[in-house]
């Protein structure tokens, strides 16, 4: 019991990391889409490329972690989700592939029309991919994925009010995270105008996310009563934590405390994911399968724990070094050469 609960918590942790890091990359693509024409949007797109260029591939490690751990430790849930929700999952996978290819080709292109073409694919893929992933989450959370192979409806399981809410909330949350992260990157590089621009966008997207979440209460009450009950009872402290952290992040953005706004905004998004997990625990498939029922044999769970421990020793320091390296000031943006670069 302890092993399967620990692995379930680790799975939620991996999902949180993907939302905070990979989600911010998707959000950056949304702002790329809204940056404007080739000339007016050039500084914004350069900042976006500079910020996500070194790490966008590494962020998908968390998605691989989530999929493999679900497959290994909770295979009945993996089978049910993949067989029922294969359409949105396939569309999300195609979006990830198209997004990565377009991002790489745009950087290598020299003709303006090519840059526009690949830029459009990059931006649109960044918009639709989190929507489909959010729709998958909404399908699971609303109990539309029953246990068994392809037992759920392949269309209505993810085309429903809760899935639509999950998709829209995923897009707005990703855009908010990206804007918050880009504020600090722009300020660190001495781009005060860009920092102010993305600060305004972070505030607007944060307010929109809050409004969507607030309106979603009525949606969940009507369409997913079990999830609504869990969020308003067992998971209520986490919902409150998300709201408080979100407001704190907006206040810090208003005060131009861009670095401090990052953890506050990240906590606001993470707490929503944790609230979802707490609301339906111990069920992994609402109304069907609990953590204990879905867990693999003890030998498999023990092997998963050992592999995760060894992998963490290698992965966590490597990712920390990667992120830390590209968050340092470059020589041309040291305080003595660019006094206005600090936040």
């Amino acid at each position: 019991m302890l092993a399967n609960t620990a692995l379930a918590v680790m799975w939620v942790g991996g999902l949180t990391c993907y939302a905070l890091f990979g989600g911010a990359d998707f959000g950056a693509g949304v702002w790329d889409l809204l940056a404007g024409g080739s000339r007016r949007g050039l500084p914004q797109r350069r900042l976006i490329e500079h910020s996500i260029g070194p790490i966008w591939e590494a962020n998908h490690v968390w998605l691989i972690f989530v999929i493999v751990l679900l497959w290994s430790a909770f295979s009945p849930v993996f089978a049910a989700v993949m067989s029922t929700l294969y359409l949105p999952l396939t569309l999300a996978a195609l979006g990830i592939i198209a997004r990565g290819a377009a991002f790489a080709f745009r950087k290598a292109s020299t003709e303006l029309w090519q840059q526009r073409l690949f830029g459009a694919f990059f931006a649109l893929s960044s918009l639709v991919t989190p929507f489909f992933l959010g729709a998958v989450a909404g399908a699971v959370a609303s109990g539309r994925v029953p246990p068994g192979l392809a037992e759920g409806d392949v269309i209505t399981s993810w085309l429903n009010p809760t899935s639509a809410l999950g998709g829209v909330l995923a897009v707005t949350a990703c855009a908010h995270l990206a804007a918050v992260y880009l504020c600090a990157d722009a300020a660190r590089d001495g781009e005060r105008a860009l920092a102010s621009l993305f600060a305004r966008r972070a505030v607007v997207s944060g307010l929109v996310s809050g409004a969507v979440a607030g309106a979603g209460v009525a949606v969940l009450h009507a369409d997913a009563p079990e999830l609504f009950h869990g969020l308003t009872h067992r998971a209520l402290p986490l919902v409150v934590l998300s709201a408080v952290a979100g407001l704190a992040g907006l206040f810090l953005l208003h005060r131009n405390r861009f670095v401090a706004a990052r953890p506050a905004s990240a906590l606001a998004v993470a707490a929503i994911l944790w609230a979802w997990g707490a609301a339906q625990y111990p069920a992994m498939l609402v109304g069907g399968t609990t953590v204990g029922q879905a867990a693999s044999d003890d030998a498999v769970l023990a092997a998963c724990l050992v592999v995760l421990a060894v992998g963490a020793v290698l992965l966590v320091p490597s990712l920390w070094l990667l992120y830390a390296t590209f968050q340092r000031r470059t020589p041309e943006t040291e305080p003595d050469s660019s006094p206005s670069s600090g936040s």
Side-chain angles (χ1 to χ4, degrees):
M1 180 63 182
L2 182 61
N4 59 49
T5 301
L7 287 169
V9 171
M10 292 179 188
W11 185 84
V12 173
L15 188 64
T16 302
C17 289
Y18 186 60
L20 297 183
F21 297 109
D25 280 358
F26 291 130
V30 173
W31 295 125
D32 189 287
L33 178 65
L34 301 176
S38 301
R39 179 173 299 179
R40 184 168 63 90
L42 183 59
Q44 299 173 50
R45 294 189 173 99
R46 282 179 174 171
L47 175 65
I48 290 169
E49 289 186 356
H50 175 73
S51 296
I52 72 175
I55 59 174
W56 68 274
E57 290 179 299
N59 289 334
H60 291 297
V61 168
W62 297 112
L63 179 61
I64 298 170
F65 170 85
V66 166
I67 293 174
V68 172
L69 183 57
L70 187 65
W71 174 39
S72 302
F74 306 101
S75 53
V77 176
F78 176 86
V81 171
M82 293 296 172
S83 59
T84 295
L85 300 174
Y86 65 88
L87 285 177
L89 288 169
T90 299
L91 293 172
L94 291 174
I96 291 172
I97 294 169
R99 178 182 178 276
F103 181 71
F105 283 126
R106 184 174 72 172
K107 289 179 67 69
S109 299
T110 56
E111 298 291 334
L112 180 59
W113 70 269
Q114 294 175 333
Q115 294 173 354
R116 287 177 172 173
L117 175 63
F118 292 127
F121 274 102
F122 167 70
L124 291 174
S125 298
S126 299
L127 178 66
V128 300
T129 302
F131 178 85
F132 287 126
L133 293 176
V136 168
V140 175
S142 61
R144 288 183 166 90
V145 182
L149 288 176
E151 292 295 327
D153 190 286
V154 298
I155 302 297
T156 60
S157 60
W158 62 281
L159 287 179
N160 57 77
T162 302
S163 289
L165 172 65
V168 173
L169 190 58
V171 172
T172 57
C174 289
H176 176 63
L177 284 176
V180 174
Y181 295 172
L182 288 168
C183 287
D185 286 350
R188 186 182 60 249
D189 292 341
E191 300 285 352
R192 298 185 64 181
L194 281 178
S196 297
L197 172 64
F198 280 108
R200 292 192 297 272
R201 291 181 170 181
V203 171
V204 171
S205 58
L207 293 174
V208 171
S209 296
V212 170
V217 173
V219 174
L220 296 180
H221 184 269
D223 190 60
E226 289 189 44
L227 177 61
F228 174 82
H229 182 271
L231 290 173
T232 54
H233 289 79
R234 179 189 301 166
L236 184 58
L238 290 170
V239 175
V240 173
L241 174 62
S242 176
V244 172
L247 290 173
L250 296 181
F251 173 76
L252 291 169
L253 288 168
H254 177 69
R255 298 296 300 273
N256 292 336
R257 301 290 300 276
F258 302 136
V259 174
R262 283 181 166 184
S265 299
L267 179 59
V269 174
I272 287 295
L273 287 174
W274 302 340
W276 167 32
Q280 70 176 53
Y281 183 83
M284 294 194 76
L285 296 177
V286 176
T289 305
T290 65
V291 172
Q293 293 169 340
S296 301
D297 293 338
D298 290 343
V300 176
L301 298 180
C304 288
L305 289 171
V306 172
V307 170
L308 287 176
V310 174
V313 172
L314 300 174
L315 178 63
V316 174
S318 300
L319 289 177
W320 180 268
L321 178 61
L322 175 66
Y323 294 137
T325 298
F326 290 99
Q327 287 296 306
R328 294 172 183 163
R329 292 180 183 273
T330 54
E332 64 270 17
T333 59
E334 289 293 337
D336 56 348
S337 62
S338 181
S340 62
S341 62
S343 59

